[in-house]
Amino acid sequence: MSSRALRRLKGKQRGQEELSIEDLKLNEAQTVDLQEEEDDQGEAVLQPAKTSNNRKAKKNKAQKNISNIYELIGDAENEVEKSLTDEDSGVKQQVDPDASRDDVDETDRQPTDINNGEVTKKKKRKKKKKKAPTADPQEDGAGDDIDAILETIEKTNGLSHQNDDGVTFDSRPVLYVEHRNLNPETELKRYFGARAVLGDQRPRQRQRQFHRSTWMTFPKDTWPRFSKPGISMSLLETKNGLQYFTFEHNRDYQQVQFKFLDAVESMDPNNIVVLLQLNPYHIDSLLQLSDVCRIQEDQEMARDLIERALYSFECAFHPVCSLTSGTSRLDYLRPENRAFYLALYKHMMFLEKRGCPRTALEYCKLILSVDPDNDPLCMLLLVDFLCLRCREYSALIRIYEEWEVHRNLSQLPNFAFSVALSYYHLSLQEDCPADEGAKLRQKSDKLLQGALIMFPGVLMPLLDLLTVQPDSAVSSHAYFGPKSQMDQPPALAQLVALYVGRSHALWKEAPVLLWLEGNVSEVLRRVNAQDPQVEDCLNKRKTRYQSAPRNIHRHVILSEIKEATATLPLEVTTQPVMGFDPLPPLDSVMSYTRPERQISGASNESTLSLFFRSLLPNFNLQGGLRPEDNQEVARAGRELNQEVNRLMVAMRDMLANIQFQEPPREDNPDRDEEEWD
């Protein structure tokens, strides 16, 4: 029988014996034996040749320590080396039962670090394994509360102040953009928690792909491999603390752009798909194909194409260009920069529909900060809606107060009503004191009454979309009746339709409707009392809002709100609108031009003109000369055009004089009906 079987047998016999408290105590002789065994173990490490003596010492040690309770309840099948370490730790715990396991490990590590390095490593590994499960929940909790920690740090740093109305503002710039808010996962974590959003998205080391660090979008494994598509950014000038950048296209990208324009003129989306297979990061192709997918209700693919375009743009950024500083500028007059505006706008709209209004607001501020003076996409018509959606009431009030002086925001229907609604929501917050709440409520009533007096054509369309039947005193009154809508200038009617079509859902709550009803009654009382403000607002509506600028038309086209697009003027609706460049500026700055095609389109020509052009390619109905190599050919072509023009006039007269006569109808009842079969 082997020695291991004998030890198991003895262990079972010891386990069957009755335990007493005296047996668990170590006497002086046993402690002396343990110290001698540790000394022998240290000598064995220094003298590896004496292996047989070490094995005997280990066997004797396993047999001597019969009073260790942890040996009795442990696994008897462990190997001799593992039982050695377990017995040593058990002896230390018996000596000081109140000491923690960490203290025991520290006391055990002192003699073994010098004598036996292998035993120390094993103990360290066991210690790490024991502490690993207790560290995971702490890390998860820290990851979930990171946003709350950042908000607490911002509050303690004093990054806020209050205005006269008691509204707390952020002391940073009004268009300050935070990198963490550009990621929609940050907002989704606030709603659902990090564990629900991320799940088990832990990339394996072997499958991890290294990409360039970006803030707006993150590359996906399903995307084609990224290679420089030919776009770069250059710094034009630095003036008054502002840096003016522009995107540039190299020669290869320009050739791809010409092919894209040909594919658009063909009116076949498959040509754009083929172009993207060869150039997977061509910006305008991604934008145009995204619109096609969105029309076909493939929202996932449409959003993915926009994200790919943004990633291509961000990889081409200049090292000095910063999205959060607010000092970087991009001129919309350059065609290379327009695609960046459109990609940001479409990505913002996808985020808003996805349920991330806070992230969409951050992108809205980003678009507005790139060119705040001109505002080519008219983001001021949208920023109020996003602020109310994500409950950033203080941010909206701050934009209104800081920009009202030089931008006259009170003359926009969306700001007139949204700012009043923001004050109303702030007055209902739980942390608002009673006196400040009453002051904010009074401020909201005043602003809402002013908005209703200035824009009376908003009320009835708003109630219609909310399916609310107004009171007879309101619907029959001339100030809010159909006459108020018919007397509106075209530009004002367009702004009103845009606001009502976009923001009507913000007014559907019952408390908000009651608040609106009370203020409408007060406005009617002031109108009947002939308040001077009513006459003043009437004169302002007649003199202003005569024609809307081009950026408002561009915003209405991009918004795709049917109530607003129906109010576009004819000069906008009659011209073709391309999804990759809607309503380009009339004074565009072109860095390169598209070469003229050899055979120009003849969409405005008649059928006969197209017929003769197919026979004679040099034919021109207007008599213009095509560039030829010599004058004789040009003269011959001119004479040929004159002859053909005479022939066309003669054929036109002949076709005009042709009269078709119906054959006489014979009423023969005996005619065989099958003779025409």
Side-chain angles (χ1 to χ4, degrees):
M1 184 178 294
S2 62
S3 59
R4 181 176 299 178
L6 291 173
R7 285 196 301 273
R8 291 181 182 176
L9 184 59
K10 292 179 180 179
K12 291 180 180 180
Q13 293 175 356
R14 293 166 189 159
Q16 295 174 357
E17 296 174 356
E18 296 181 358
L19 294 177
S20 61
I21 299 177
E22 295 178 356
D23 294 337
L24 297 177
K25 296 181 181 180
L26 294 175
N27 52 20
E28 296 180 357
Q30 290 178 345
T31 55
V32 172
D33 293 338
L34 289 174
Q35 292 179 357
E36 291 179 356
E37 289 170 359
E38 290 179 356
D39 295 338
D40 295 340
Q41 184 179 3
E43 293 178 358
V45 173
L46 297 177
Q47 298 177 0
K50 300 179 180 180
T51 57
S52 60
N53 295 331
N54 292 336
R55 294 176 181 175
K56 292 180 181 179
K58 293 177 182 179
K59 293 179 181 179
N60 295 332
K61 187 175 182 179
Q63 295 175 0
K64 286 181 180 179
N65 193 7
I66 60 175
S67 62
N68 188 4
I69 189 173
Y70 293 100
E71 182 183 357
L72 297 177
I73 63 176
D75 188 4
E77 295 181 0
N78 291 336
E79 296 180 357
V80 179
E81 290 82 5
K82 294 183 180 180
S83 64
L84 175 63
T85 57
D86 294 337
E87 289 172 1
D88 292 340
S89 60
V91 171
K92 295 294 181 180
Q93 290 176 359
Q94 290 175 358
V95 173
D96 190 4
D98 296 332
S100 62
R101 293 185 179 181
D102 295 339
D103 297 335
V104 173
D105 291 337
E106 292 294 330
T107 55
D108 288 343
R109 195 175 293 130
Q110 291 179 0
T112 56
D113 285 342
I114 302 175
N115 299 329
N116 192 355
E118 296 180 357
V119 178
T120 305
K121 292 180 180 179
K122 292 180 181 179
K123 291 181 180 180
K124 287 182 179 179
R125 292 174 183 174
K126 290 182 179 180
K127 185 177 180 180
K128 290 181 179 179
K129 290 180 180 179
K130 293 178 181 180
K131 292 184 178 181
T134 59
D136 288 338
Q138 295 178 358
E139 293 177 357
D140 295 339
D144 294 338
D145 298 338
I146 181 106
D147 295 327
I149 294 173
L150 290 175
E151 292 178 359
T152 305
I153 293 174
E154 291 176 358
K155 292 180 181 179
T156 55
N157 289 337
L159 296 177
S160 60
H161 64 278
Q162 290 185 352
N163 64 348
D164 298 336
D165 298 327
V167 181
T168 304
F169 292 156
D170 195 349
S171 61
R172 292 174 296 191
V174 65
L175 297 180
Y176 180 76
V177 177
E178 297 185 58
H179 279 149
R180 64 188 181 94
N181 288 333
L182 293 175
N183 186 5
E185 291 184 356
T186 304
E187 185 174 3
L188 294 176
K189 289 177 184 177
R190 296 176 185 173
Y191 300 150
F192 309 107
R195 189 180 299 274
V197 175
L198 298 179
D200 297 332
Q201 297 179 2
R202 296 181 179 179
R204 298 180 180 179
Q205 295 290 338
R206 296 180 180 179
Q207 298 180 357
R208 183 178 298 175
Q209 298 180 2
F210 296 95
H211 302 280
R212 179 173 177 175
S213 177
T214 54
W215 291 105
M216 295 186 293
T217 56
F218 302 97
K220 301 179 181 179
D221 297 335
T222 57
W223 289 0
R225 184 175 182 180
F226 180 77
S227 60
K228 293 183 179 180
I231 301 178
S232 60
M233 177 184 281
S234 62
L235 177 62
L236 296 178
E237 59 177 350
T238 302
K239 182 172 59 176
N240 299 329
L242 301 177
Q243 299 170 341
Y244 293 87
F245 297 91
T246 183
F247 287 100
E248 294 180 349
H249 299 168
N250 60 10
R251 289 184 175 271
D252 295 337
Y253 194 91
Q254 293 177 11
Q255 297 299 324
V256 178
Q257 185 72 14
F258 299 151
K259 295 179 181 178
F260 165 74
L261 296 177
D262 295 339
V264 171
E265 291 180 356
S266 67
M267 304 298 292
D268 188 3
N270 294 324
N271 295 333
I272 302 178
V273 175
V274 173
L275 184 63
L276 271 179
Q277 291 177 353
L278 300 176
N279 305 276
Y281 288 93
H282 182 254
I283 304 298
D284 288 344
S285 299
L286 292 171
L287 297 179
Q288 190 70 23
L289 191 60
S290 176
D291 290 341
V292 175
C293 294
R294 183 172 50 82
I295 293 173
Q296 296 177 354
E297 298 182 356
D298 191 356
Q299 302 293 334
E300 187 68 24
M301 178 59 67
R303 185 174 69 239
D304 187 77
L305 294 174
I306 295 298
E307 292 179 358
R308 197 194 305 180
L310 280 178
Y311 179 74
S312 180
F313 269 123
E314 195 168 1
C315 290
F317 274 3
H318 194 276
V320 186
C321 181
S322 175
L323 298 177
T324 60
S325 62
T327 59
S328 301
R329 298 289 184 268
L330 285 172
D331 193 0
Y332 193 80
L333 298 179
R334 297 179 178 270
E336 296 87 352
N337 299 337
R338 295 175 201 162
F340 181 66
Y341 281 87
L342 296 174
L344 288 176
Y345 182 88
K346 295 181 179 181
H347 184 59
M348 174 192 65
M349 297 309 297
F350 279 124
L351 289 173
E352 192 272 330
K353 294 178 181 178
R354 188 182 175 185
C356 302
R358 182 65 184 87
T359 310
L361 175 61
E362 209 71 13
Y363 277 94
C364 181
K365 294 192 296 183
L366 175 60
I367 299 172
L368 193 57
S369 66
V370 174
D371 193 359
D373 297 332
N374 299 320
D375 194 10
L377 298 185
C378 207
M379 303 307 297
L380 288 177
L381 299 178
L382 179 63
V383 64
D384 63 298
F385 170 72
L386 296 176
C387 287
L388 292 174
R389 278 289 313 275
C390 61
R391 301 179 181 179
E392 292 288 336
Y393 309 122
S394 301
L396 177 59
I397 296 174
R398 184 186 178 191
I399 293 175
Y400 176 77
E401 292 185 354
E402 292 187 8
W403 287 17
E404 167 63 19
V405 179
H406 63 283
R407 300 299 289 269
N408 218 6
L409 297 181
S410 60
Q411 302 305 309
L412 296 175
N414 60 314
F415 265 93
F417 284 90
S418 296
V419 173
L421 190 59
S422 297
Y423 275 105
Y424 172 75
H425 284 297
L426 286 177
S427 65
L428 299 179
Q429 290 184 350
E430 297 179 355
D431 56 349
C432 182
D435 53 348
E436 293 184 3
K439 187 187 299 184
L440 293 174
R441 181 64 177 269
Q442 185 178 2
K443 180 76 172 179
S444 65
D445 294 340
K446 180 181 178 181
L447 290 174
L448 182 59
Q449 293 173 18
L452 290 171
I453 293 174
M454 184 64 190
F455 308 104
V458 174
L459 181 62
M460 298 308 295
L462 179 62
L463 295 179
D464 291 341
L465 289 179
L466 294 175
T467 63
V468 174
Q469 184 67 29
D471 189 66
S472 59
V474 177
S475 59
S476 61
H477 201 280
Y479 196 75
F480 291 114
K483 184 179 178 181
S484 63
Q485 302 179 25
M486 297 178 62
D487 293 342
Q488 290 182 146
L492 180 58
Q494 184 175 347
L495 293 175
V496 169
L498 180 66
Y499 172 72
V500 173
R502 172 179 286 158
S503 304
H504 66 274
L506 301 174
W507 297 83
K508 65 181 180 180
E509 298 179 0
V512 176
L513 289 176
L514 292 176
W515 171 63
L516 177 62
E517 182 182 0
N519 286 278
V520 168
S521 302
E522 181 64 22
V523 168
L524 289 179
R525 187 192 63 80
R526 294 173 61 180
V527 171
N528 295 331
Q530 296 182 356
D531 193 324
Q533 186 180 358
V534 177
E535 187 68 21
D536 185 25
C537 292
L538 179 61
N539 296 330
K540 288 181 180 179
R541 289 196 301 271
K542 290 181 179 180
T543 56
R544 302 173 182 176
Y545 312 105
Q546 296 302 319
S547 61
R550 198 171 179 84
N551 60 343
I552 293 182
H553 296 328
R554 190 181 298 117
H555 180 87
V556 171
I557 292 174
L558 291 174
S559 65
E560 297 182 352
I561 298 175
K562 59 181 181 179
E563 293 87 358
T565 54
T567 60
L568 289 172
L570 292 177
E571 59 267 17
V572 177
T573 57
T574 54
Q575 60 179 331
V577 178
M578 299 297 178
F580 64 93
D581 191 7
L583 292 183
L586 301 178
D587 53 348
S588 300
V589 180
M590 306 295 295
S591 58
Y592 63 93
T593 57
R594 180 186 180 187
E596 296 182 359
R597 302 181 66 180
Q598 297 180 358
I599 301 177
S600 60
S603 57
N604 296 328
E605 300 181 10
S606 61
T607 306
L608 291 175
S609 178
L610 294 175
F611 171 72
F612 284 109
R613 181 176 295 280
S614 64
L615 298 178
L616 304 171
N618 293 329
F619 170 74
N620 189 3
L621 182 62
Q622 288 75 16
L625 294 178
R626 295 180 178 275
E628 304 293 342
D629 296 336
N630 49 49
Q631 297 181 358
E632 294 181 358
V633 177
R635 189 181 302 109
R638 191 185 308 112
E639 294 177 356
L640 181 60
N641 287 335
Q642 294 176 359
E643 295 295 333
V644 173
N645 286 332
R646 295 192 189 99
L647 181 59
M648 287 188 61
V649 172
M651 294 183 64
R652 188 180 297 112
D653 295 339
M654 181 184 66
L655 293 175
N657 295 328
I658 294 177
Q659 296 181 359
F660 297 95
Q661 296 181 356
E662 295 183 0
R665 184 176 179 181
E666 297 179 358
D667 297 334
N668 187 6
D670 298 333
R671 180 176 57 87
D672 188 5
E673 296 179 356
E674 298 179 357
E675 63 182 356
W676 297 101
D677 296 340

